[in-house]
Amino acid sequence: SQQGEEDPQALSIQEGENATMNCSYKTSINNLQWYRQNSGRGLVHLILIRSNEREKHSGRLRVTLDTSKKSSSLLITASRAADTASYFCATAHQGAQKLVFGQGTRLTINP
Amino acid sequence: KAGVTQTPRYLIKTRGQQVTLSCSPISGHRSVSWYQQTPGQGLQFLFEYFSETQRNKGNFPGRFSGRQFSNSRSEMNVSTLELGDSALYLCASSPTTLAEYGYTFGSGTRLTVV
């Protein structure tokens, strides 16, 4: 299966702390994307990193990609209560017209 | 601009019935993908349509089908519903196929089969 794996499955931190989530995948990719989902609603696209990129930033988000290890990480700095959600990585594999999603990390920010 | 619109938001059906879900993508987006989300299996790819053609299909039985119209709106149909079809069905639109850009998701249709 191409499906990625994320860890941890759940993460609980205090407001203001940084949160790091990891994603691993098995086969070569064109790009890797991160999404957020609040309480069973639709997913919101956060950031896309292409296979020839190593790091991208968007506001408080920092994504890294290591294609040699087939892994990515999402860092959320200075977390807020509103960041409480599930976070999913999704991979676009070469020649495939689809995104393959990981199982997600449930992030809880405690006030 | 308007986002991705999925209708209906909630649906309760009885085993054996069939159901049709609708998705209107962002204007100008020609690719529509469908996903099934359940607590046990996570997000599973159903199919992707681009310019009215199914480009890719996931590992679901033939009871799951879809189509796309010339205005890029898409429908998916599930026939002979089973209890296990209870899920959140999400559609996503993108300008092109091959997942080259981030997807824009709708709010989903929550289907409950009783």
Side-chain angles (χ1 to χ4, degrees):
Chain A
S1 170
Q2 295 174 322
Q3 193 168 28
E5 295 181 3
E6 295 182 61
D7 80 275
Q9 290 188 341
L11 180 62
S12 181
I13 61 174
Q14 296 299 121
E15 196 167 17
E17 294 180 338
N18 296 341
T20 300
M21 289 157 269
N22 303 295
C23 170
S24 61
Y25 55 92
K26 296 177 182 176
T27 59
S28 296
I29 60 171
N30 286 331
N31 66 69
L32 184 145
Q33 305 178 26
W34 287 90
Y35 289 81
R36 182 185 74 233
Q37 184 179 39
N38 291 88
S39 301
R41 302 293 298 275
L43 282 76
V44 174
H45 178 256
L46 297 176
I47 199 163
L48 180 153
I49 186 165
R50 303 192 188 282
S51 59
N52 61 352
E53 298 174 312
R54 291 297 166 259
E55 186 172 313
K56 276 190 97 167
H57 297 254
S58 177
R60 294 183 295 113
L61 306 180
R62 173 180 169 249
V63 169
T64 61
L65 178 64
D66 187 334
T67 52
S68 66
K69 295 182 179 178
K70 292 187 171 58
S71 67
S72 174
S73 67
L74 170 66
L75 169 67
I76 303 174
T77 60
S79 63
R80 305 166 181 170
D83 295 328
T84 294
S86 292
Y87 291 81
F88 295 87
C89 73
T91 47
H93 296 267
Q94 293 173 357
Q97 286 100 353
K98 64 179 181 180
L99 282 180
V100 179
F101 284 83
Q103 291 294 323
T105 294
R106 175 69 191 167
L107 175 65
T108 301
I109 308 299
N110 302 303
Chain B
K1 50 185 175 182
V4 177
T5 303
Q6 288 189 249
T7 57
R9 287 294 310 279
Y10 302 92
L11 209 48
I12 300 175
K13 289 286 188 178
T14 305
R15 272 182 301 174
Q17 287 186 314
Q18 75 165 18
V19 66
T20 299
L21 312 181
S22 179
C23 173
S24 293
I26 287 177
S27 178
H29 284 194
R30 295 165 62 191
S31 170
V32 173
S33 298
W34 288 89
Y35 286 83
Q36 180 197 65
Q37 186 177 28
T38 60
Q41 297 298 316
L43 281 150
Q44 298 289 311
F45 172 77
L46 283 158
F47 23 67
E48 190 250 358
Y49 286 88
F50 181 79
S51 294
E52 302 178 65
T53 301
Q54 186 181 89
R55 297 300 180 98
N56 204 352
K57 190 177 191 304
N59 189 26
F60 279 81
R63 300 184 297 106
F64 291 81
S65 63
R67 59 178 175 169
Q68 187 180 34
F69 302 96
S70 58
N71 62 357
S72 293
R73 189 177 71 86
S74 178
E75 290 181 346
M76 67 162 282
N77 184 77
V78 188
S79 62
T80 319
L81 284 165
E82 301 177 358
L83 294 180
D85 297 333
S86 294
L88 180 66
Y89 289 88
L90 293 162
C91 85
S93 79
S94 179
T96 68
T97 188
L98 295 177
E100 297 172 310
Y101 302 96
Y103 284 3
T104 302
F105 279 83
S107 296
T109 293
R110 173 76 61 183
L111 172 65
T112 302
V113 182
V114 298

